[in-house]
Amino acid sequence: MLAASTVAAWLALTWAAVLLWLAIGAALRRYQLHARFEARARLSTVDRRVLIIRPCAGDEPGLHDNLLSIATLSSAATLRVVMTVDSPDDGARPIIEQVAASLRARGLDARAELHPPLGPNRKASMLAQVLREHGPAHELVVNVDSNVDLAGFDLDALLQPVLEVDRERIGVAWAPWVERREFPGVGPRASEAVLGGSLTAFPLLCGIHPNGLVGKIWAARMDALEHSGDFGELARYLGEDLAMADRLRAAGWRIAVVPLLGRVRGGHGGFEQAVERFGRWMLVVRGQQPRLLPSYPLFFFATPMVTALALLGLASSPALAVTALVLATLARLLVTLAARYWSGRGLRPLATLVDAVLSDVVLMLAWIRAVTRREIEWRGHRLRVEPSGQLSSVE
């Protein structure tokens, strides 16, 4: 009968080998996604009617510049920009009114609107009401969250997959993004490590999960949204993007990822706020796609567990244990380097090491938070994700 330490060594070796295989696959698939995107012929967006929605909540850092950055977009499409809040007292309201006036002065069709909430997910609520009011006059709709800086963003490239419905029946396309740290402190640095130096980094993750949908920057066909049900019902879910993707697929539409790089202004806050943020994202998975929740410790922050198993196996199987440590380290470094590269953050050795360690710690704590709590704080509102996956307000 094998000793416990030998079993630990073999488990560590097998797990590390899987992690290395995943790391190599992620890097290769991300490169292939980029190559296919570069080789694809571009379709014209001339005379396409596009509705751009920017849901806002609160006077967050850089909001004015983020919203005004839409003036830098170069597109042949006919654009209408709607910036919206859901309360007359929202701190973003005077800002969106000021920016709308500035954009109109530059010749853009820009509007600032107020749409009271329909449900606990206030972003989905605002999107639903803007779509109901303005959607019928447009072929395509683009959502861009309020903390996204659109300077230099290629809008027409984002629209490419949804321009020709007969080609691949793609209903929505999304773009990955990277967070640009603008404040000092451990919290912003931790967010940067997770979003630009781990398998959770969307510029890398999009290669192995292109059929997912990350709802910060997306473009959709209006007819696809209409065929997939009442958008307002998505206000009952914390992850409106996951619910939207499920509905589109059920209605026979496909999802595409466009490997552009959206840039988000990072906020301030401490380490606990960073953990809470990623815990909220994992709670979306727990509520709406619970079968994927074990994938986090298995693949996204597995290095500490593999290392612990390998150390347990050193006594009886040093060769196996050391091999497992080497493979796990190689896998983690490859993931971090690939994530940094596709996030445009460079390949600095010390920063790569910090990213690997810090992101594993944050993701582990966030996962523990997600599996032990159902309540969250989001944009000043207390919410609870029910076992059914639906969202409710907490008084």
Side-chain angles (χ1 to χ4, degrees):
M1 189 172 183
L2 290 176
S5 61
T6 303
V7 173
W10 276 108
L11 284 175
L13 180 61
T14 303
W15 198 349
V18 171
L19 292 177
L20 183 58
W21 170 80
L22 178 64
I24 294 171
L28 286 176
R29 294 194 65 171
R30 181 57 177 84
Y31 172 77
Q32 293 168 348
L33 179 66
H34 175 78
R36 289 194 300 269
F37 173 72
E38 292 295 322
R40 187 167 183 167
R42 293 282 290 262
L43 302 172
S44 173
T45 60
V46 173
D47 297 328
R48 299 285 188 165
R49 302 183 309 280
V50 179
L51 171 65
I52 301 179
I53 310 175
R54 305 211 66 172
C56 302
D59 181 8
E60 58 191 355
L63 178 62
H64 179 277
D65 292 342
N66 289 340
L67 298 178
L68 193 60
S69 68
I70 208 163
T72 68
L73 290 178
S74 177
S75 175
T78 301
L79 306 179
R80 172 175 292 176
V81 182
V82 177
M83 295 164 286
T84 178
V85 293
D86 65 6
S87 169
D89 301 322
D90 194 293
R93 188 179 186 186
I95 298 174
I96 69 172
E97 291 173 347
Q98 179 185 358
V99 171
S102 297
L103 293 176
R104 287 194 296 270
R106 301 182 188 205
L108 287 172
D109 179 0
R111 307 169 185 214
E113 297 183 353
L114 171 65
H115 294 286
L118 299 173
N121 185 326
R122 303 169 86 91
K123 173 187 169 182
S125 174
M126 288 186 280
L127 289 174
Q129 294 179 84
V130 174
L131 286 169
R132 187 177 299 121
E133 183 173 336
H134 299 278
H138 297 83
E139 299 173 72
L140 307 172
V141 58
V142 175
N143 170 78
V144 183
D145 282 4
S146 57
N147 60 350
V148 177
D149 182 357
L150 286 171
F153 189 78
D154 190 347
L155 177 63
D156 284 358
L158 176 66
L159 297 175
Q160 290 299 306
V162 296
L163 288 178
E164 293 295 338
V165 66
D166 294 333
R167 177 180 293 182
E168 297 178 76
R169 197 170 170 76
I170 293 173
V172 63
W174 63 279
W177 48 275
V178 65
E179 192 164 274
R180 187 172 59 204
R181 180 161 52 109
E182 297 191 345
F183 297 93
V186 179
R189 182 64 183 89
S191 291
E192 184 183 53
V194 172
L195 294 171
S198 74
L199 194 59
T200 309
F202 297 117
L204 176 63
L205 184 62
C206 69
I208 59 176
H209 192 40
N211 293 322
L213 176 60
V214 177
K216 191 167 287 290
I217 309 169
W218 54 260
R221 297 184 59 87
M222 278 302 305
D223 53 357
L225 295 182
E226 291 167 357
H227 294 161
S228 59
D230 181 6
F231 200 97
E233 294 177 356
L234 301 184
R236 303 199 306 259
Y237 298 91
L238 178 58
E240 82 287 338
D241 47 1
L242 292 185
M244 173 179 163
D246 289 342
R247 289 182 171 215
L248 285 166
R249 284 191 289 263
W253 296 90
R254 296 180 57 220
I255 298 168
V257 59
V258 178
L260 302 172
L261 190 60
R263 299 193 179 276
V264 173
R265 294 180 189 270
H268 55 81
F271 183 79
E272 175 60 28
Q273 283 71 35
V275 171
E276 183 176 353
R277 176 191 188 188
F278 296 113
R280 183 174 68 244
W281 292 5
M282 293 183 194
L283 187 55
V284 172
V285 175
R286 180 187 177 189
Q288 295 173 228
Q289 294 185 340
R291 68 186 183 281
L292 296 181
L293 196 59
S295 69
Y296 283 97
L298 285 174
F299 306 121
F300 288 83
F301 58 88
T303 308
M305 281 82 77
V306 174
T307 300
L309 282 173
L311 292 176
L312 287 174
L314 271 176
S316 62
S317 305
L320 293 178
V322 170
T323 303
L325 286 171
V326 170
L327 293 182
T329 301
L330 286 175
R332 191 63 182 89
L333 289 177
L334 178 56
V335 164
T336 308
L337 289 170
R340 289 184 63 90
Y341 176 80
W342 291 113
S343 299
R345 299 179 61 228
L347 302 178
R348 295 179 295 160
L350 181 58
T352 297
L353 180 61
V354 172
D355 279 352
V357 175
L358 189 55
S359 61
D360 275 1
V361 172
V362 173
L363 289 171
M364 183 182 299
L365 294 175
W367 187 82
I368 294 171
R369 190 191 189 288
V371 299
T372 57
R373 308 183 198 175
R374 287 191 175 274
E375 292 187 6
I376 59 165
E377 188 78 23
W378 188 31
R379 299 272 184 167
H381 301 279
R382 195 74 185 167
L383 304 170
R384 175 181 172 83
V385 177
E386 304 294 346
S388 65
Q390 296 198 9
L391 193 63
S392 62
S393 296
V394 178
E395 297 298 334

